[in-house]
Amino acid sequence: MTIGDLARETGCKVQTIRYYEQIGLIPEPDRSAGNHRLYEPAHRDRLAFVRHARELGFSLDAIRQLLGLVDHPTQPCEGADAIARAQLEQIEERIARLDSLKRELRRMIEQCEGGNIAHCRVIEVLADHSKCLDDDHADPVALQP
């Protein structure tokens, strides 16, 4: 199948497929006489694995490790379990931060009495972190440029 066919079948953008090839998550396919990529069902299956892992929030490095395990099917699955447990821990930490953010935002909104910006509780709390209930609600993803 062509890269366009693979993209349609997997719901993955052509540029993403090329990127995954470039970084070695999926192997480069054979080429036609006209130098077009020709993908096999194994490429589709591997790409589906990568996409599903990304949807579950796994990093590219974790996916690379998981694929290394997939490529050696007789290994014990302890490595995959450890990677999944680490991912679960990260998700649980992120949920805790999001719960903290939710509580703080709800409190700011509930304490806002309307009126003008000079007396707005939302602006007041955003300007002075010490007025927050919880110091540890920063979302590292939101802080990235």
Side-chain angles (χ1 to χ4, degrees):
M1 74 185 88
T2 66
I3 195 166
D5 295 333
L6 182 62
R8 277 186 294 284
E9 282 193 30
T10 60
C12 194
K13 294 180 180 180
V14 169
Q15 296 90 337
T16 303
I17 295 170
R18 288 183 184 138
Y19 176 69
Y20 289 162
E21 284 176 26
Q22 182 183 19
I23 64 171
L25 290 182
I26 60 173
E28 289 191 26
D30 292 332
R31 301 252 180 182
S32 70
N35 204 28
H36 294 284
R37 292 173 169 90
L38 298 175
Y39 295 91
E40 303 290 329
H43 288 99
R44 182 192 57 230
D45 296 344
R46 193 163 179 107
L47 182 56
F49 181 97
V50 171
R51 280 193 42 94
H52 191 204
R54 291 296 287 158
E55 289 170 0
L56 290 170
F58 285 95
S59 69
L60 293 177
D61 286 336
I63 294 169
R64 187 181 320 284
Q65 292 173 14
L66 289 165
L67 288 170
L69 296 171
V70 168
D71 292 339
H72 299 93
T74 59
Q75 289 183 342
C77 68
E78 294 166 351
D81 289 347
I83 294 166
R85 287 178 196 281
Q87 178 62 15
L88 177 59
E89 186 177 305
Q90 290 174 9
I91 294 297
E92 287 173 340
E93 289 172 5
R94 180 129 194 237
I95 288 170
R97 283 193 306 273
L98 289 171
D99 283 340
S100 175
L101 287 170
K102 179 181 173 182
R103 283 189 306 273
E104 192 62 47
L105 288 168
R106 181 172 283 137
R107 186 179 73 87
M108 286 180 352
I109 292 166
E110 289 171 354
Q111 290 180 354
C112 189
E113 297 174 359
N116 59 35
I117 291 295
H119 300 96
C120 178
R121 182 66 177 174
V122 172
I123 300 299
E124 184 181 330
V125 173
L126 290 174
D128 185 352
H129 198 312
S130 70
K131 295 183 181 189
C132 290
L133 292 177
D134 187 357
D135 287 343
D136 189 27
H137 56 252
D139 182 0
V141 173
L143 297 175
Q144 294 176 353

